[in-house]
């Protein structure tokens, strides 16, 4: 299976993303005013969204980073989820906001909610760039959703396909060629 740049269709432009990120940040600033907040970036996919979002925060957050991997499957949804890099700050008694690229089935986010939720946090919420609702199997609410998308494989603005396309400033949907060689 190959994916080429000409298989990509832009869903949301850099400008549209900027507008939406500003709206989300304004809501988050209202909700966390005066609170000790830790924003957690789920690497790698959320790095660009996280960077754009947190630079608009005015509650003086602490920032930390985590990374997940899976075994028993080649996608996070199909295997068991593990931390390949855990958080480093103490989360106890703090208002934690998980910042993720995409919530798809919800398996990954459910794991994070369970793990981070067990660390005596004061509150726990989710911001996701993309709320992909169609394949959701877990019952959870994305508190701050950038865009809702029903289907398709998304790349750009931090999201990759086999390590590529993360640098694209817009959000694109991929049309995958199957078995077409190079
Ligand atoms: P889950 O199914 O557990 O909710 O999603 C697992 C992870 O798969 C997401 O955090 C995201 O990193 C990745 N993922 C899900 N859908 C897509 C997609 O359309 N594009 C990309 N690049 N990654 C995705
Ligand atoms: Mg992810």
């Amino acid at each position: 299976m190959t994916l080429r740049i000409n298989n990509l269709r832009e869903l949301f432009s850099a400008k549209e993303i900027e507008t939406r990120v500003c709206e989300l940040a304004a809501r988050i600033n209202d909700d966390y005013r005066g609170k000790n907040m830790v924003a957690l970036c789920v690497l790698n996919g959320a790095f660009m969204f996280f960077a754009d979002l947190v630079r608009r925060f005015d509650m003086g957050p602490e920032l930390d980073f985590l990374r997940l991997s899976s075994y028993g499957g080649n996608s996070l949804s199909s295997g068991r989820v593990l931390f390949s890099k855990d958080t480093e700050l103490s989360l106890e008694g703090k208002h934690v906001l998980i910042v993720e690229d995409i919530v798809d089935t919800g398996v990954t986010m459910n794991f994070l909610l369970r793990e981070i939720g067990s660390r005596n946090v004061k509150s726990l919420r989710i911001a996701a760039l993309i709320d992909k609702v169609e394949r959701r199997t877990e019952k959870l609410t994305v508190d701050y959703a950038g865009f809702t998308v029903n289907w398709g494989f998304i790349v750009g603005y931090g999201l990759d396909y086999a390590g590529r396309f993360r640098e694209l400033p817009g959000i694109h949907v991929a049309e995958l060629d199957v078995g077409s060689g190079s």
Side-chain angles (χ1 to χ4, degrees), residues 78-180:
S78 61
R80 278 186 61 189
V81 186
L82 296 167
F83 282 94
S84 58
K85 183 213 169 298
D86 206 336
T87 56
E88 293 173 32
L89 297 173
S90 166
L91 304 179
E92 195 171 334
K94 294 175 186 168
H95 296 275
V96 175
L97 179 67
I98 298 173
V99 181
E100 172 64 302
D101 52 6
I102 297 191
V103 178
D104 185 14
T105 62
V107 170
T108 307
M109 187 51 74
N110 238 2
F111 167 83
L112 272 180
L113 289 173
R114 224 172 27 247
E115 284 293 320
I116 304 296
S118 71
R119 298 179 186 182
N120 299 317
V121 299
K122 203 152 186 182
S123 71
L124 184 55
R125 287 189 180 175
I126 305 165
L129 174 67
I130 291 171
D131 190 5
K132 219 167 144 185
V133 289
E134 203 166 61
R135 304 202 314 153
R136 187 71 37 84
T137 59
E138 312 302 303
K139 198 169 170 297
L140 59 86
T141 305
V142 177
D143 303 283
Y144 308 99
F147 301 97
T148 300
V149 170
N150 284 324
W151 60 273
F153 192 80
I154 309 298
V155 297
Y157 195 64
L159 290 152
D160 77 313
Y161 172 77
R164 294 178 57 214
F165 307 118
R166 289 194 201 276
E167 80 287 3
L168 299 177
I171 294 171
H172 302 258
V173 64
E175 276 134 28
L176 296 175
D177 283 351
V178 180
S180 62

Side-chain angles (χ1 to χ4, degrees), residues 36 41 64 71 73 76 82 86 93 123 146 178:
N36 52 348
C41 177
D64 204 353
Y71 63 91
L76 287 177
L82 296 167
D86 206 336
S123 71
V178 180

